[in-house]
């Protein structure tokens, strides 16, 4: 992924005729993706291109099989026109979510519709090679059974060093630290593979697939899973950093003398409000019995269920966790000033009580003008934002660089 991850072109990219042609193809695809069936005249008017240019661009996209004509529609100025469509059912994308002990694989449509979801067996440090073998087998089976799959996206824990292909720190599951995603997967299948940090994948999912966040140009996705991460779209552009490790909020210290973290810091946010940290708290307090035999996800779900049933100790713990989530929100407000903050993944399933506790902290600690202008909400995507976000990474590449996927002459 690069600075153009939301479809907006970089001002520093060298301009060549092929670059201009690809940019204009991308603009047409983005328009059809967003607006649905449209006439050539409507596209030309919206994009500020000539009718002749749009005719040439769309002819090549039709020849490549990416878009197609759908018959007469009402065009601009009530004139009948031939409609063009980027069919959301025509292309499928595989999304793979890596989350320390969890690996989930799904198949999604161009608009995020879920075709299938598969959870692999719980991963441990000594079973990572078996998990990798299962991923290869599962993806190969999906590709064999569905020729409409055109790309694979993978969402991996951060800080992900994109140029090296590996994650620098994987708290509580260091076996992943030596694993290189690019070496393992980039040329493994018949379709291209794209790898992104999980929270950045999540913010792309919100941007593309959530109607409430569609085209929100200042958007933050606050991932609260086995780790804690942040994906940010700022002024329409994905925030990356020099190595792809920007916005690692999980390793921002909220207590300089606090709990030690695998990253070498102390008091990191994820030591207090990640699913792993919550599981540790449950083991210490005994609020939920038998957590030793549960996965981190199961332990969190058990806590939230106890809280919903009126268990006061569980409710107090959810409130405490929510306040830690709120401390992270304060950092997001002051660092990125987003229009919208979306909470997602395992811990966000704490629901409204957790959200209200986070808002308490925000109300106490954030500049009122910023607070008033920013919405904080729970993710409403039909699937986990990281796995559907992995697919969103691939969809974004498809929309921005169609010539990588199809021969366009």
């Amino acid at each position: 992924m690069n600075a153009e991850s939301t479809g907006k072109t970089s001002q520093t990219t060298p301009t060549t005729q092929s670059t201009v042609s690809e940019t204009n193809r991308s603009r047409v695809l983005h328009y059809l993706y967003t607006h649905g069936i449209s006439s050539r005249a409507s596209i030309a008017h919206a994009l500020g291109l000539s009718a002749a240019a749009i005719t040439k661009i769309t002819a090549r996209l039709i020849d490549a099989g990416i878009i197609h004509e759908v018959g007469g529609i009402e065009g601009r100025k009530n004139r009948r026109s031939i409609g063009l469509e980027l069919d959301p059912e025509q292309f499928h994308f595989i999304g793979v979510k890596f989350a320390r002990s969890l690996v989930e694989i799904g198949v999604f449509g161009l608009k995020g519709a879920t075709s299938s979801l598969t959870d692999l067996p719980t991963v441990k440090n000594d079973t990572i090679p078996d998990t990798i073998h299962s991923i290869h087998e599962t993806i190969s089976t999906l590709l064999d059974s569905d020729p409409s799959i055109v790309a694979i996206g993978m969402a991996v824990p951060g800080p992900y060093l994109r140029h090296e292909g590996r994650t620098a720190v994987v708290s509580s599951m260091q076996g992943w630290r030596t694993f290189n995603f690019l070496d393992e997967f980039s040329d493994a299948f018949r379709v291209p593979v794209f790898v992104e940090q999980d929270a950045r994948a999540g913010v792309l999912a919100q941007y593309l697939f959530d109607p409430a966040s569609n085209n929100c140009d200042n958007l933050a996705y606050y991932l609260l899973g086995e780790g804690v991460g942040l994906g940010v779209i700022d002024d329409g552009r994905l925030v990356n950093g020099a190595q792809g490790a920007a916005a690692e909020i999980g390793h921002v210290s909220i207590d300089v003398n606090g709990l030690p973290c695998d990253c070498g810091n102390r008091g990191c946010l994820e030591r207090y409000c990640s699913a792993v940290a919550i599981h540790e708290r449950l083991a210490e307090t005994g609020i939920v019995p038998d957590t030793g035999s549960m996965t981190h996800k199961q332990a969190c779900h058990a806590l939230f269920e106890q809280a919903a049933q009126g268990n006061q100790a569980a409710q107090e713990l959810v409130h405490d966790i929510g306040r830690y989530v709120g401390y992270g929100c304060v950092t997001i407000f002051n660092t990125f000033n987003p229009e919208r903050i979306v909470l997602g993944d395992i811990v966000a399933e704490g629901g409204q009580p957790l959200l209200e506790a986070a808002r308490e902290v925000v109300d106490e600690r954030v500049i009122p003008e910023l607070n008033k202008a920013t919405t904080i909400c729970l993710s409403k995507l039909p699937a986990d934002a990281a796995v559907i976000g992995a697919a969103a990474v691939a969809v974004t590449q498809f929309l921005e660089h169609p010539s990588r996927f199809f021969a366009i002459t």
Side-chain angles (χ1 to χ4, degrees), residues 10-354:
S10 169
Q11 299 302 310
T12 60
T13 302
T15 301
T16 64
Q17 185 57 48
S18 62
T19 299
V20 172
S21 297
E22 185 78 335
T23 297
N24 285 334
R25 286 191 287 264
S26 174
R27 294 176 68 201
V28 170
L29 291 183
H30 272 281
Y31 186 87
L32 290 172
Y33 182 87
T34 303
H35 294 86
I37 297 172
S38 305
S39 67
R40 290 173 175 81
S42 295
I43 298 170
H45 178 76
L47 301 185
L49 296 172
S50 69
I54 289 297
T55 297
K56 182 178 180 180
I57 293 165
T58 56
R60 290 180 173 176
L61 291 172
I62 290 170
D63 288 344
I66 302 175
I67 66 175
H68 60 268
E69 295 182 335
V70 294
I73 62 169
E74 187 173 298
R76 298 191 70 237
K77 299 181 181 180
N78 297 319
R79 296 173 181 168
R80 297 297 291 175
S81 301
I82 299 297
L84 297 174
E85 180 183 33
L86 175 61
D87 185 354
E89 302 304 320
Q90 184 178 354
F91 305 108
H92 288 166
F93 302 81
I94 292 176
V96 185
K97 171 190 175 180
F98 294 83
R100 296 164 173 80
S101 70
L102 302 173
V103 174
E104 189 171 24
I105 301 175
V107 179
F108 302 90
L110 195 61
K111 291 280 190 175
T114 306
S115 296
S116 68
L117 278 175
T118 301
D119 287 320
L120 297 188
T122 301
V123 187
K124 300 178 181 178
N125 271 312
D126 60 353
T127 65
I128 288 175
D130 295 332
T131 298
I132 298 305
H133 179 72
S134 295
I135 292 169
H136 278 277
E137 285 193 334
T138 302
I139 291 177
S140 294
T141 299
L142 291 171
L143 290 171
D144 288 343
S145 63
D146 186 353
S148 64
I149 294 171
V150 295
I152 299 165
M154 295 184 171
V156 305
Y160 174 64
L161 309 177
R162 65 177 55 193
H163 302 301
E164 296 183 34
R166 64 180 182 86
T167 297
V169 178
V170 188
S171 306
S172 76
M173 185 69 80
Q174 289 297 322
W176 284 117
R177 192 171 181 174
T178 60
F179 183 77
N180 192 297
F181 295 92
L182 295 182
D183 288 349
E184 184 69 35
F185 294 117
S186 59
D187 297 315
F189 307 105
R190 67 167 174 81
V191 299
V193 176
F194 304 97
V195 184
E196 183 56 276
Q197 182 249 25
D198 50 9
R200 271 196 287 280
V203 78
L204 287 176
Q206 301 294 331
Y207 189 84
L208 288 176
F209 304 142
D210 176 16
S213 299
N214 278 164
N215 297 313
C216 176
D217 281 347
N218 292 278
L219 176 67
Y221 174 68
Y222 188 2
L223 182 151
L224 299 159
E226 292 194 349
V228 172
L230 181 66
V232 178
I233 290 174
D234 180 60
D235 194 24
R237 300 182 186 281
L238 197 64
V239 174
N240 290 306
Q243 293 173 286
E248 277 297 330
I249 194 171
H251 295 292
V252 170
S253 179
I254 58 171
D255 181 356
V256 294
N257 299 309
L259 298 171
C261 180
D262 288 345
C263 74
N265 197 3
R266 278 188 170 270
C268 289
L269 182 64
E270 74 171 38
R271 293 293 287 116
Y272 300 90
C273 60
S274 66
V276 175
I278 294 169
H279 200 170
E280 290 175 358
R281 289 279 297 274
L282 291 174
E284 294 168 1
T285 60
I287 293 171
V288 175
D290 302 322
T291 57
S293 62
M294 296 181 183
T295 65
H296 302 313
K297 184 174 184 178
Q298 289 168 342
C300 288
H301 285 175
L303 170 65
F304 301 146
E305 186 176 345
Q306 290 279 339
Q309 291 173 355
N311 182 316
Q312 185 176 351
Q315 291 173 342
E316 290 174 355
L317 180 53
V318 170
H319 184 268
D320 189 42
I321 294 162
R323 286 189 64 83
Y324 282 114
V325 171
Y327 301 145
C329 286
V330 173
T331 298
I332 296 169
F333 268 86
N334 291 328
T335 306
F336 297 104
N337 182 208
E339 195 180 324
R340 186 178 184 85
I341 299 173
V342 182
L343 313 185
D345 218 298
I346 298 169
V347 180
E349 292 174 21
Q352 200 64 28
L354 182 132

